[in-house]
Structures are given as C-alpha cells and as structure tokens.
Amino acid sequence: MLQRRYVWEWPVRLTHWFIVLSIIALSVTGIYIGNPNLSVPKTSSFVMGWMRAVHFGFAYLFAVSFVVRLLWMFFGNKYARWTAFIPWASKEGWRNIIGTFSWYTFLRRKVPYVVGHNALAGIAYSFVFVLFTLQIVSGFALYGQYDPNGLWASVTAPFLSLFSNQGLRLTHHMIMWLLIGFAIHHVYSGWLMDVKEKNGTLGSIFGGYKFIDPKDL
C-alpha cells in the first residue's frame, strides 16, 4: 500500500520556484542587454533601462533565494540537507551512484529507488550550485562597475582584476547557457523519474508530497 510522505518542505519548493522564475527573467533580459535587437520609436521608450532594471531586480531575488536554499541545507529534513549533495561520502551513496549510472547506461533494468534526489542528481545539483555562485559573483562584479566607489565594486574587485571586464562578461554569458541546458535536462529527468518511479515526482515539486511503496525502499 502506498504511503503519502512529505519530502520537499515549503522553503525548498519556494526557493526552487523563485530560482526558476529568476533564471527565466534573467536569461531573457540578459540576452537583450547583450544584444539589443528591438527597434524603438523614440529614445524615451527606455527599453534598455527597463531591461536592466528587471535584470537587477531578479538578480537580487535569485541571490537571496539561493542563499536561503543553502541555509536550509543545515535546517531542513534529510531530503534537503547538504549530505544529499555529496553521495560519494558514504558507502550507500556509492551504491546509489553505481546503480543509477548503470540504469542510465542501460546496464540495469530497475532504477535504484530513493525518496529524495537520486545520487547522480545530487552530484549534478552540487555542480549547479557552483555555477549559481559563479553567476552571482560575476553578475554583481559587472553590476558594481556603475559605481567604482560603491559596495559591490569593492566586494567584487578581486574578481574584476582576475578575469577583466570582458572575461567576466564571457563567463556570465556562458554560465547562462549552461544553466539553460541544465534546466532542459532537469525537466526531462523529472518527467522520466515520474514515469519510471510512479510516485508523483513532478507533482511533489508543487505540493511537497510523494507516494512511496515501502517495498521499493
């Protein structure tokens, strides 16, 4: 008999959707800022100004959401904690890594069942968190150049010196495309797990609950 289990707590779901919304808004406005291709009838339309304002607003939402998610790794349930993102630190984690990899490469018929993230997903998310960090740092380093004597310019000055202005722009742009590619894969793998495990994976991103058969554990 299936059990209804609360897996994703509301801070996990809320920060997840804030980050999704932010990445969409930041990508759309960022592409325009990098390549302004709209014809405007007059300069007072202020299109670039609005694009930059929206970009900066969602940059703060993205950064705050990411920091809250990082903090929740230390206060949340076992499915949200930092240990879920370093499966290689335990023998059980290694079994899940090998088992999941074998399933993805068609060497195993049945996917190793886990209630939270599978081992490979945990590793992928830890890599994505590194990309988030680089994106936030490079973004605020670029943002801080509007005021060389301001807070962001002083905090991010080492990164500007290390990468240069164009290096930061290129890094920021490339990470955006990496995150877009990850988002496409993320949606696909979520759908795949939902079909294979039949436990409401996609629905749990909204409601937080999964339906677990104890025999699968």
Side-chain angles (χ1 to χ4, degrees):
M1 184 177 180
L2 295 180
Q3 296 178 356
R4 188 168 179 257
R5 186 170 299 185
Y6 189 49
V7 178
W8 308 124
E9 300 161 301
W10 67 266
V12 174
R13 306 195 312 273
L14 195 62
T15 54
H16 172 270
W17 287 114
F18 278 157
I19 288 173
V20 170
L21 181 63
S22 299
I23 288 177
I24 293 172
L26 289 166
S27 297
V28 172
T29 54
I31 289 172
Y32 182 81
I33 292 169
N35 181 29
N37 50 12
L38 290 180
S39 298
V40 293
K42 49 188 177 181
T43 56
S44 60
S45 299
F46 205 57
V47 175
M48 178 59 82
W50 279 113
M51 288 289 181
R52 287 170 60 86
V54 172
H55 196 80
F56 298 153
F58 276 98
Y60 277 103
L61 177 64
F62 178 61
V64 170
S65 299
F66 180 50
V67 170
V68 171
R69 180 62 186 91
L70 291 179
L71 291 174
W72 198 249
M73 288 183 182
F74 300 93
F75 300 101
N77 63 21
K78 62 181 180 181
Y79 309 115
R81 295 184 76 84
W82 59 274
T83 50
F85 302 97
I86 53 168
W88 61 82
S90 67
K91 290 183 179 179
E92 181 183 0
W94 271 110
R95 282 196 296 272
N96 287 329
I97 290 173
I98 295 171
T100 307
F101 180 79
S102 300
W103 182 73
Y104 275 128
T105 52
F106 307 108
L107 298 175
R108 174 176 172 156
R109 288 181 178 274
K110 188 175 181 182
V111 61
Y113 194 89
V114 293
V115 179
H117 300 303
N118 70 50
L120 292 186
I123 294 173
Y125 297 151
S126 60
F127 177 68
V128 168
F129 289 162
V130 173
L131 292 182
F132 282 177
T133 303
L134 291 174
Q135 192 71 331
I136 290 169
V137 171
S138 60
F140 278 108
L142 292 169
Y143 174 64
Q145 293 179 74
Y146 86 95
D147 181 9
N149 298 317
L151 171 65
W152 288 116
S154 59
V155 170
T156 59
F159 299 97
L160 185 60
S161 301
L162 184 63
F163 290 96
S164 78
N165 179 57
Q166 288 306 315
L168 280 174
R169 289 183 183 279
L170 180 61
T171 301
H172 200 66
H173 190 77
M174 290 179 64
I175 292 175
M176 176 196 73
W177 286 111
L178 286 174
L179 292 177
I180 290 174
F182 166 76
I184 294 171
H185 170 75
H186 185 56
V187 172
Y188 167 74
S189 61
W191 169 80
L192 181 64
M193 289 297 107
D194 192 275
V195 170
K196 290 295 181 182
E197 296 181 339
K198 296 180 174 60
N199 61 359
T201 296
L202 290 181
S204 71
I205 302 171
F206 297 93
Y209 287 92
K210 283 187 175 181
F211 299 92
I212 310 299
D213 188 341
K215 291 185 295 185
D216 290 331
L217 299 177

